Amino acid sequence: MKESAATDIRGIGVSPGVAIGKAHLLEQGQVAIPFYKLRNGAAVVAEVERFERAVAEVEKDLEAIKQKFHPELIEHAHILEAHQLILRDPQIYDQTIGLIRDQRLNAQWALKQALIKVHDLFKTVEDDYLRARVKDVDDVGQRVLRSLAGFPNGIIQEIRERVIIVARDLSPADTAQLQLERTLGLVIDMGGRTSHTSIIARSLNIPAVVATEKASRVIRSGDLVIIDGASGKVIVNPTEAQLSYYYEVQDALENYLKQIRRQAHLPARTLDGHTVRVEANIELLEEVVASRDNGAESIGLYRTEFFLLNRDHLPSEETLYNEYRELAELMAPRSVNLRTLDLGAEKMTRWAPRLDQANPALGLRAIRLCLHHKDLFKTQLRAILRAGAAAGNIRLLFPLISGVGELLQAKAVLNEVREELRSRRIPFDERMKVGIMIEVPSAVAVADLLAPEVDFFSIGTNDLIQYSLAIDRGNEHVAYLYEPLHPAVLRFIRQTVEVAHRARLPVTVCGEMAGEPLYVPILLGLKVDSMSMNPQAIPRVKNLICRSRLEDCRHFVDTILGMRTAQEIGFLLRTMVLRNFPEEFKFFDPDALTPKEIFSKA
Amino acid sequence: MAVTVPELSDILEQEFTVTNKLGIHARVAAQIVKVAGSFDAEVWLSRGNSCVNGKNILDLMTLRCPFGSSVRICARGRDAKEVLRALADLFRSKFGEA
């Protein structure tokens, strides 16, 4: 094998798994669009006919693709029906013919003008919602332009071997034409987690990396390529060593995931018999099924703000009540922690006056915002309390509590609502448990004063890290300082747990830290009672808990709490997990195992 | 038995909530156009100040209806009732997605 230097390309991993194989590059440059005026009436008639033929051809192509659709993906064929309708839409079809006739434009230029007008129709470019829709129009336009230019639209010719498809972009029609049974993996320059191709790749378990920007220019057909659909890494012309490493990883990963998924429904009990609760963080009712399938024992965090975003009007109390009640009933008898709105003022624009805040993270957000917009807060509390009456499994969680005063204010509003419901004889859960998020350093400092006022604590590590270390994670200049293993963060967690346990309160950790397998030994050693994470992370975290000894983790945490920097702690932690859980961690390139890398994966 | 036939000018309308996660995108719009197109009645969808023809896919795609938003559908014609019922079924099925 040739020993030319391997090239690494980074993208976003959208469908996990490792694929190794030869690249097949799809050539699909933009079609040049000529401009000319038609000389006479006869030329106009001929040009209109040429356009109609091109449209008819594309229509036939789309129909043919639809018929050959991969049987597992038949519901995705609807998108091609949409493309057929767009193709004949008067604003494209009639408009183009009109331009050819009235302005004697050639078909390509006329079509391009019509497409530009359609773009205007969708106006706001910065809006993701509409941008995704314009993409469908452009896909259709491109096909007609290619046909007019005499290019075949069947861009994906017979592929005779199993390959990794590399492309600048893939339209749904392109994806449909892929011979998926011969596709080992996908590398695409454009796209994101929710683009059509990513969704299909995930549903078929084809490893995929998107948003690589340059892959289609760097990789040539026939190059040997490794893609890691979890980390988003693409290695072109790998070395012998990389190759054998990834073959091993690929094999082991498949067996391993199969095995741990089978055990994910069992409780997470350490080797020395301590049980830790593993829960799911969700944003939508629809995620409940995935949570249960992955082995979630309860919902540790329901982020209620998501249901309110993207709305022009505040939903009514009834709408909220129905949503919460359905969620509670789906999970009963298992508990559901409903966190009240964790909105920033900047997200309230649609139904509240916009506030310009120089520093929104330190501004009017979460509980502060709710106390400010008391009607909104009370509406949500009423809906939550009422929904709790159904199965008695809802627990209330206040975000961003910074001290006792603020908590008492929130509880006063809660009591007002209870009183109102009582006097109106509306049933609600009288004994609903109330907890708070511990995510502001001041709350850690006064945790002993907060404890008597609540039933449980939930540590939000994302904000706790950000506020403790004074780091805005979104700020690229300081993002490297975002260190979950900073001794201050670990001390804060320990302090919170100790205070809570003295007051006989359970503690959950629900930030990204909880869903990252690397941190499992630390959170166990810090004696947290439960961990709540994105549903997909549950099988791996549960597996690690089951293979750990609580006593060992406690000793380990005692050791690292004596260390001075996140780097020292990180090094010791990585050495420890690689030694104790080799199967778990060989799925990651050990060289890539820096805390920062791991975070970008989570 | 007397059957009441609605006047042609009668407009029926109904409010719907968009309950699929991605809102009315191309695939969903195509399903609406197909259902609306199989009836004689005129079909209009409106939200806020915009009102679009329910039988035209591009128009529908430009109507901003994200997850959770509500849309008013008006129908006018001899089978207005039926088209609303068919559309109600479609909305209830979340267009076959999550």
Side-chain angles (χ1 to χ4, degrees):
Chain A
M1 134 170 287
K2 70 172 186 258
E3 278 299 319
S4 65
T7 315
D8 281 8
I9 300 173
R10 276 275 167 191
I12 304 172
V14 291
S15 179
V18 171
I20 304 171
K22 270 194 193 152
H24 181 94
L25 185 63
L26 299 179
E27 313 272 359
Q28 30 170 200
Q30 296 273 335
V31 194
I33 299 166
F35 168 81
Y36 49 89
K37 286 273 190 172
L38 303 164
R39 285 186 314 278
N40 51 40
V44 168
V45 172
E47 193 69 357
V48 170
E49 277 174 14
R50 191 168 81 90
F51 175 69
E52 284 170 347
R53 269 200 312 277
V55 169
E57 188 186 305
V58 170
E59 198 163 44
K60 218 176 74 201
D61 284 352
L62 289 173
E63 188 59 35
I65 298 168
K66 216 168 74 187
Q67 297 306 329
K68 284 195 298 190
F69 229 92
H70 199 280
E72 285 180 44
L73 296 173
I74 207 67
E75 80 263 32
H76 292 285
H78 289 308
I79 190 76
L80 297 184
E81 274 165 22
H83 284 191
Q84 285 174 318
L85 287 167
I86 293 171
L87 191 60
R88 291 286 182 183
D89 191 281
Q91 285 165 93
I92 293 176
Y93 188 78
D94 298 357
Q95 184 78 20
T96 304
I97 291 176
L99 286 167
I100 298 173
R101 284 196 179 129
D102 303 342
Q103 302 191 23
R104 300 197 159 193
L105 290 170
N106 63 312
Q108 280 116 306
W109 197 262
L111 172 58
K112 184 73 197 168
Q113 297 312 302
L115 289 171
I116 290 172
K117 274 211 172 141
V118 171
H119 267 249
D120 289 344
L121 220 62
F122 285 89
K123 284 175 302 239
T124 42
V125 229
E126 74 274 32
D127 187 327
D128 271 349
Y129 178 90
L130 289 179
R131 197 161 42 203
R133 280 141 182 79
V134 173
K135 174 98 172 41
D136 286 299
V137 177
D138 287 343
D139 284 346
V140 173
Q142 271 299 317
R143 291 188 88 80
V144 180
L145 286 169
R146 281 205 291 251
S147 169
L148 283 167
F151 288 120
N153 259 310
I155 51 153
I156 301 168
Q157 304 85 2
E158 270 301 283
I159 298 170
R160 301 198 187 286
E161 47 187 346
R162 299 198 12 111
V163 290
I164 290 175
I165 301 284
V166 181
R168 195 180 67 81
D169 196 9
L170 280 183
S171 71
D174 293 335
T175 312
Q177 277 177 286
L178 285 177
Q179 293 162 299
L180 290 164
E181 62 285 358
R182 293 197 178 154
T183 304
L184 294 168
L186 292 167
V187 180
I188 299 162
D189 288 351
M190 323 272 278
R193 264 199 82 73
T194 55
S195 54
H196 186 76
T197 311
S198 306
I199 294 169
I200 292 209
R202 276 197 296 278
S203 65
L204 290 179
N205 292 319
I206 295 175
V209 176
V210 304
T212 53
E213 284 173 31
K214 58 175 184 182
S216 73
R217 278 177 285 136
V218 175
I219 302 172
R220 281 163 306 184
S221 281
D223 280 350
L224 190 58
V225 173
I226 298 175
I227 73 176
D228 178 350
S231 69
K233 196 169 182 177
V234 178
I235 306 173
V236 191
N237 292 322
T239 62
E240 209 54 86
Q242 282 173 317
L243 205 54
S244 58
Y245 172 76
Y246 272 101
Y247 269 125
E248 210 177 296
V249 170
Q250 189 181 32
D251 226 38
L253 179 66
E254 275 166 25
N255 291 330
Y256 183 71
L257 288 178
K258 242 183 263 164
Q259 181 200 331
I260 63 170
R261 283 210 187 103
R262 272 201 301 268
Q263 292 160 357
H265 63 281
L266 298 170
R269 182 171 298 134
T270 61
L271 290 172
D272 45 353
H274 295 269
T275 307
V276 177
R277 200 131 83 126
V278 179
E279 310 177 279
N281 295 345
I282 64 167
E283 291 174 343
L284 285 175
L285 193 57
E286 284 87 340
E287 291 172 283
V288 168
V289 176
S291 302
R292 290 208 305 220
D293 286 352
N294 278 296
E297 289 156 46
S298 43
I299 301 297
L301 179 65
Y302 174 49
R303 301 184 170 103
T304 58
E305 56 277 6
F306 195 85
F307 187 65
L308 271 81
L309 296 176
N310 297 320
R311 285 169 179 269
D312 286 353
H313 303 287
L314 266 180
S316 64
E317 179 185 324
E318 279 318 296
T319 309
L320 293 177
Y321 164 72
N322 287 326
E323 178 82 2
Y324 301 158
R325 185 182 159 156
E326 197 178 338
L327 173 60
E329 284 177 346
L330 279 171
M331 282 309 289
R334 292 170 278 199
S335 62
V336 174
N337 293 347
L338 256 154
R339 184 177 71 186
T340 60
L341 297 175
D342 188 0
L343 283 171
E346 70 283 358
K347 287 184 190 152
M348 297 278 291
T349 54
R350 295 220 182 97
W351 57 77
R354 193 191 175 93
L355 288 174
D356 268 324
Q357 303 187 96
N359 205 338
L362 303 181
L364 190 63
R365 54 166 290 216
I367 193 71
R368 305 163 184 183
L369 187 98
C370 284
L371 290 170
H372 197 80
H373 292 276
K374 213 168 130 189
D375 286 344
L376 168 66
F377 192 34
K378 285 174 80 169
T379 303
Q380 188 183 30
L381 290 176
R382 265 196 306 274
I384 295 174
L385 285 170
R386 288 175 52 205
N393 59 337
I394 294 182
R395 310 200 303 170
L396 186 63
L397 186 52
F398 292 129
L400 208 76
I401 293 290
S402 63
V404 177
E406 204 170 33
L407 173 59
L408 292 179
Q409 254 182 296
K411 285 180 70 176
V413 179
L414 180 63
N415 281 331
E416 261 175 60
V417 172
R418 282 184 175 135
E419 215 35 71
E420 284 166 23
L421 289 172
R422 241 175 249 136
S423 69
R424 285 161 54 202
R425 299 183 185 285
I426 298 173
F428 68 99
D429 184 0
E430 290 267 7
R431 287 175 305 178
M432 183 177 290
K433 293 222 157 67
V434 177
I436 52 172
M437 296 290 296
I438 301 287
E439 49 191 347
V440 184
S442 60
V444 178
V446 298
D448 57 323
L449 306 176
L450 291 164
E453 297 293 332
V454 296
D455 301 303
F456 64 100
F457 281 166
S458 185
I459 304 178
T461 51
N462 297 4
D463 273 337
L464 185 61
I465 295 167
Q466 154 163 310
Y467 292 131
S468 308
L469 306 181
I471 296 304
D472 175 359
R473 191 145 65 117
N475 182 337
E476 52 179 318
H477 303 294
V478 291
Y480 72 98
L481 287 171
Y482 186 89
E483 293 170 323
L485 295 177
H486 192 294
V489 175
L490 301 181
R491 285 184 189 194
F492 279 164
I493 298 176
R494 180 180 60 170
Q495 209 175 316
T496 307
V497 174
E498 280 174 357
V499 169
H501 285 177
R502 268 203 298 276
R504 301 185 178 282
L505 300 187
V507 183
T508 301
V509 169
C510 69
E512 280 172 57
M513 218 175 154
E516 175 48 62
L518 182 66
Y519 301 129
V520 165
I522 294 196
L523 295 179
L524 280 178
L526 286 168
K527 307 177 197 173
V528 305
D529 302 287
S530 78
M531 305 182 196
S532 192
M533 63 205 68
N534 75 65
Q536 286 73 31
I538 290 175
R540 288 180 59 202
V541 169
K542 267 196 170 179
N543 172 58
L544 282 187
I545 293 172
C546 292
R547 304 192 44 234
S548 301
R549 294 178 84 67
L550 195 67
E551 273 314 300
D552 295 349
C553 294
R554 287 185 181 169
H555 288 310
F556 181 71
V557 165
D558 286 343
T559 311
I560 60 170
L561 279 171
M563 300 177 116
R564 295 176 307 162
T565 67
Q567 284 70 31
E568 285 167 16
I569 295 172
F571 179 77
L572 195 68
L573 176 62
R574 283 192 294 280
T575 315
M576 191 277 267
V577 296
L578 283 171
R579 196 183 56 234
N580 289 346
F581 313 105
E583 332 75 278
E584 172 66 29
F585 287 94
K586 77 175 152 204
F587 306 132
F588 306 99
D589 185 344
D591 295 331
L593 266 184
T594 65
K596 222 172 91 193
E597 291 260 347
I598 281 157
F599 248 82
S600 67
K601 263 180 220 165
Chain B
M1 191 174 70
V3 179
T4 49
V5 181
E7 293 288 326
L8 267 186
S9 58
D10 278 357
I11 298 178
L12 299 180
E13 53 179 67
Q14 195 175 339
E15 191 96 5
F16 294 90
T17 306
V18 179
T19 50
N20 63 314
K21 203 165 165 181
L22 298 173
I24 296 188
H25 54 85
R27 195 164 58 225
V28 170
Q31 293 183 56
I32 295 175
V33 169
K34 267 173 68 185
V35 170
S38 61
F39 292 86
D40 287 338
E42 293 170 38
V43 177
W44 299 90
L45 276 75
S46 65
R47 185 162 181 271
N49 293 324
S50 0
C51 182
V52 299
N53 184 347
K55 301 187 178 189
N56 180 307
I57 187 161
L58 274 185
D59 267 6
L60 268 177
M61 285 164 66
T62 55
L63 191 66
R64 204 182 182 294
C65 332
F67 172 77
S69 60
S70 64
V71 187
R72 176 167 297 276
I73 302 187
C74 306
R76 183 172 67 179
R78 74 178 168 80
D79 50 8
K81 214 171 172 178
E82 287 76 12
V83 72
L84 278 184
R85 197 174 301 141
L87 288 169
D89 288 342
L90 190 58
F91 272 80
R92 203 172 308 123
S93 75
K94 297 188 180 185
F95 309 95
E97 22 183 281

